[in-house]
Amino acid sequence: MHFRQAREVDLTVFRVLRLHVQESRRERRESWFVWIGSTPLALEEVVGSYQRRFSHEHTYRFLKQDLLWTKARVRTPEQFERWSLLVATAMNQLVLARHGGLALYRPWEARRSVLTPRQVRRLMPAILMQVGVGTPTQPPKPRGKSPGRARGTRLIPRSRFDVVRKSSASASRTG
């Protein structure tokens, strides 16, 4: 099979039937998967990939929700590629920092020996302070009344444009 718009891209379609599952909205008996690549997968590899799909789906969910992968407003594919590399670097930092701090569990979270990326993300400020990196932010500004503009500041007047008014004859034709 191939894509209609990209006939040079080879793909393989797999149909997975789970025999011991009751059909429901939550669990489907039949699933379809697409493998894009020139070399087809062996059946043993398909089974292994299917078993790991849960972690892959949750990784994409974490990247989108917590690391805001799809929220960046970029205009070109090159910018999106750089943003994706930055998000992947942040994910790698979270994986590497997994053993760097004590767990900070929420009341509903299970106590695990291995921290999840979300838990590590909550720990990152404390880990960065231990490493000595500090914070990338500036100190807070004082509250209260603004001091205003500095003395001697000269503002350039904005350019003005004439107001365009429709004549009464064109307004009566359209109305």
Side-chain angles (χ1 to χ4, degrees):
M1 297 187 79
H2 58 267
F3 293 114
R4 202 177 281 174
Q5 299 296 330
R7 296 185 189 277
E8 68 277 356
V9 176
D10 295 327
L11 61 98
T12 307
V13 178
F14 294 100
R15 178 179 169 212
V16 176
L17 285 174
R18 297 173 20 179
L19 301 176
H20 303 291
V21 173
Q22 295 282 337
E23 179 74 23
S24 67
R25 284 186 84 185
R26 184 174 176 185
E27 290 193 85
R28 300 283 183 200
R29 175 174 264 184
E30 180 181 42
S31 299
W32 291 88
F33 299 96
V34 175
W35 171 258
I36 299 175
S38 58
T39 58
L41 284 177
L43 191 56
E44 298 82 27
E45 294 178 47
V46 172
V47 172
S49 298
Y50 179 76
Q51 290 173 340
R52 289 188 300 272
R53 85 185 195 293
F54 184 78
S55 65
H56 292 294
E57 289 172 4
H58 280 276
T59 301
Y60 280 116
R61 180 179 167 201
F62 176 76
L63 291 174
K64 289 179 177 183
Q65 290 180 354
D66 288 37
L67 299 183
L68 306 176
W69 183 26
T70 56
K71 296 291 183 187
R73 293 179 168 228
V74 294
R75 296 172 190 239
T76 64
E78 293 81 18
Q79 290 174 344
F80 184 75
E81 187 174 342
R82 281 195 304 268
W83 175 248
S84 296
L85 289 173
L86 186 66
V87 170
T89 304
M91 181 66 183
N92 288 340
Q93 290 293 323
L94 292 175
V95 170
L96 292 173
R98 186 176 275 180
H99 303 290
L102 297 173
L104 201 75
Y105 293 109
R106 300 268 165 87
W108 58 86
E109 291 178 338
R111 308 294 195 250
R112 300 178 182 201
S113 59
V114 178
L115 298 177
T116 65
R118 185 167 283 138
Q119 291 167 337
V120 176
R121 185 181 62 83
R122 286 196 310 253
L123 289 172
M124 279 309 280
I127 292 172
L128 291 175
M129 293 304 281
Q130 287 175 1
V131 173
V133 174
T135 177
T137 62
Q138 296 178 357
K141 295 181 180 177
R143 292 182 58 184
K145 189 173 178 184
S146 169
R149 290 193 180 92
R151 279 202 174 171
T153 303
R154 306 242 340 139
L155 296 179
I156 300 171
R158 292 180 55 187
S159 55
R160 305 271 180 179
F161 299 98
D162 293 337
V163 177
V164 177
R165 299 184 191 273
K166 292 185 176 181
S167 65
S168 60
S170 64
S172 65
R173 267 189 272 142
T174 59

